[in-house]
Amino acid sequence: MDRQIDQDRRKFLKTTSLLGGGLVLGIQLSGCESSDNPRTTIKNMMTAQQQEQQSVDAAFFPNAFLRISADNRITVHVASSEMGQGVMTSLPMLIAEELEADWSMINTEFAPAHADFENPKSGRQITGGSASIRGFWQAMREAGAVARDMLLTAAAQTWGIDKDACYAKTGRVYQRASDQHLTYGELIEKAQYLPVPKSPALKKPDEFRIIGQPVPRLDNKVKVTGQAIFGQDIQLPGMLTAMVVRCPVFEGKIKHINAQTAKNIKGVIDIFEIETGVAVVAEHFWAAKKGRDLLEIEWNEGDHAKLDSDSIHQQFIQSINNGKVIIDRGNTKKILNLNIRDASMNHTSTKQQTAAIFETPYLAHTCMEPMNCTAHVQKDRCDIWVPTQGQEPTQKTGVKITGLPKEKVFVHTTFLGGGFGRRAEQDFVKDAILISNRLKQPVKVIWTREDDIQHDFYRPATYNRLTASIDKNGKPVAWDHAIAGSSILHRIVPFAGIIFRGKDDTSTEGAANLPYDIPNFKVSYAMVNPGVPVGFWRSVGNSQNSFVTECFFDEVAALGNKDPLKLRQQLLSKKPRHKKVLDIAAELSGWGKSLSEDHYHGIAVAESFGSFVAYVAEVSIEGAAKHEYIKVHRITAAVDCGIVINPDTVIAQIQGGIVFGLTATLHGEITIKQGRVEQSNFHDYPSLRIDEMPVIDIYLVKNAELPGGVGEIGVPPIAPAVANAVFAATGKRVRKLPIHLNKLI
Amino acid sequence: MTSLNVNDTLYEVDIETDTPLLWVLRDIIGLTGTKYGCGVALCGACTVHINGKPARSCVTPLAEVIGKQVTTIEGLSKNTLHPVQQAWIDEQVPQCGFCQSGQIMSAVALLRKKPHPTDMDIDQAMKGNICRCGTYQRIRAAIKKASTTSPGKS
């Protein structure tokens, strides 16, 4: 890069990097103290931000990902959204490692929507696919190394000595020959006029001093004191609160609104129709809620008014034989002839063949923080404060609705009260921008929990038919997995080529890549889109397919009288990373050894997002007859996610993945009746609670493989590990989620 | 105008007294540490203390707290961290953090009543608080830690 371009670019970074006049959201070392009057806290924050602007103007911006101030503070511009996965700590760790930073001087800010912050893996500024570390692993370390190199050059020039005679350590540059040193803050003035080095040398893994350490999260203090700002917590001068009432039937439209009584509610300001539903705008949440409850809306329910779970089930059954071939190795057709087309039959077997039907339900995300978004559309700019997984799509939504150029649409990412895939969507963003665009006032749209559960993009329900055959030694020789289910990609990119070919990788992941060495292997997929909106749900297709394949694998093992662990080990000889986590989990759990009375083990392994996880679940059946329930006592986990950035975060994500997956295993089910979602809140869509929490033991494999994903990998193998343990306990197979003990056959 | 005592500060609020305390705190007074998660006392994210006892502010009308002392996460401990908050940091409990205000308020109330709770006590006192990130194992550890670091206190 030539010098002038360098200078222009960095000037540009300064102007785009601060959040264009909004609230700075992130963690500041010198954060303002809380005031007794919270209203003035906001004003104080604004003032603090103006002061910050001055320090920003003087700061050193080696690249988009960080700036260093004269007071030695290093502010990392975090490109991914913090939704609990710890990325606000782990991404700065990558920079700090190469920068030789003093960790106690690290600040963070959530980055604005800008091409500089695209995830290199996806090419988009979206947090998803367990890709933050995988995508930024190289870029963030290079960002730190570039800065360190420039600071070294600046020090060498200051002292008039050779650069090799200097070294960097915990925020300072030292002379090798003496104790003389300069802090990074003292070097920024000189450093910012230096050319940016192209390919600075990166450390070798054995030189890491921050990567691999259980560094405490940077966001803990604000999260235990109530100071963390989530989307729900945004307060702006003159801000209104709104709700949007959507048609309870998917894709239904408004026929008639009677808002007369609702408008009489004190605090209700306006009620009008927008593209997504009926907006009830009020001074605050409770007035909006009261107004909403009095609103009379007549709906045109449309094509889906008669849709229900049974009719969807029938569509799956009718389509299962017409799937597109995803993979077809060897000759399954010749070997497998067991027929299980009768819908009432869920299992059949001969001496050498077995076939079964597996079903998984639609699931909602139920992020702890219901969907929300705040927007302020003005004549010449649009500000959006939002807990989002997608800054880039949010900015696009702003551009589309307001007609402003994208440079005038500012996305301010708050903390996310859970994401799980739901917050990559734009429906709640649209609500806020549409309303503010009309009123030209700041508007916060809050969804109720009922809105959140009934207007989600659901994890697709699936219907699976599996058939397998073993040889005379009990070894599986053929495996055929037919999947019928709704397609996420069909909703998102309906005109993509892959959709015309009837394929969707997000529906077949975890099935088409079955790790076991089985010579004849086929997976087919029948795309059925009955009208229920579907979306990305933590671990996506792996969440269903791991359950289906790992449970059926146990059935195949049983057909040949094989121990499910030993057969897995035998068929994973070419998959060392699968085998290793399996071996470790089995050993640590005491697989095959005696357990407490009436306790039983189940095992499962899964690869997803470039990482490998094996679980052994220990369960018992408790309670009197007819009131029996599953008690999950302990999960023993072995995890290989390559190089570990922050082991404590990885452990937290596995614990979280297990709980998320257990909720789906034991409780989660969205059902449809008359085109509506039947569930509405945590009473009929329950989440795992602390009294159902198993003890979790986690072993992290150490190796030098490139980092794999972490956020989603804990989910896939939990359902099959528990379901296989339930078989051990009851002698009955689990072929449908959630597990209902009284419905097992 | 209704007088309301929150975190030892008296507020005059101009709002109907059937408004749930949660929305008075969040939208009128501007204390946003107490969260909305379900609106029907099923998730515990809105837990505050009323006269020292845990309550779900999303279903507690303003009328019910007139003349009472309300404590929110912001008022749990001025200037320093409460031992339970410190234990939460020591055990690295929060993930997304959205439910943690409510979790901490429930835990403080439990420890006040039972300074050395058993696992069963913890289950009983904490099962009304949902955490979708799944931090329960760490919540259990943090409560036990707080019970040893501050016996009988708070």
Side-chain angles (χ1 to χ4, degrees), chain A residues 84 217 220 223-224 232-233 285 290 365-366 448-449 648 652-653 655-656 660 681 687-689 696, chain B residues 18 20 23 26-27 30 32 35-38 40 42 85 92 94-96 127 132-133 136-138 140:
Chain A
R217 296 176 65 116
N220 264 336
K223 286 180 175 177
V224 303
Q232 193 181 90
D233 305 330
F285 179 96
K290 274 182 166 173
H365 296 79
T366 52
T448 63
R449 175 59 66 195
D648 194 54
Q653 283 309 293
Q655 291 171 337
F660 200 81
N681 210 315
S687 275
L688 200 85
R689 292 174 185 269
I696 299 172
Chain B
D18 65 344
W23 299 107
R26 293 182 56 84
D27 285 357
T32 56
K35 306 301 185 196
Y36 165 71
C38 72
V40 287
L42 287 169
Q85 290 171 317
Q92 294 286 300
Q95 288 186 29
C96 90
K127 73 178 181 192
R132 283 288 281 154
C133 297
Y136 299 129
Q137 184 157 318
R138 291 172 188 235
R140 194 182 293 281

Side-chain angles (χ1 to χ4, degrees), chain A residues 172-187:
Chain A
R172 290 176 173 154
V173 179
Y174 291 84
Q175 292 188 13
R176 287 194 193 279
S178 73
D179 278 348
Q180 208 176 331
H181 63 263
L182 289 165
T183 68
Y184 286 179
E186 290 167 326
L187 290 165

Side-chain angles (χ1 to χ4, degrees), chain A residues 19-20 22-23 25 111-113 231 234 236 372-378 381-388 390-402 404 406 408-414 426 428-434 436 442-443:
Chain A
L19 301 178
L23 229 55
L25 301 158
I234 291 294
L236 299 164
N372 65 78
C373 179
T374 303
H376 187 193
V377 181
Q378 300 173 74
R381 65 181 287 149
C382 168
D383 287 87
I384 307 161
W385 294 264
V386 61
T388 179
Q391 288 74 17
E392 175 211 318
T394 298
Q395 189 179 48
K396 280 188 179 145
T397 303
V399 167
K400 203 172 163 195
I401 294 172
T402 65
L404 289 164
K406 73 173 182 182
K408 296 291 177 194
V409 177
F410 300 92
V411 179
H412 314 285
T413 307
T414 64
Q426 291 300 300
F428 50 94
V429 177
K430 263 190 193 171
D431 288 352
I433 303 174
L434 285 167
S436 181
V443 176

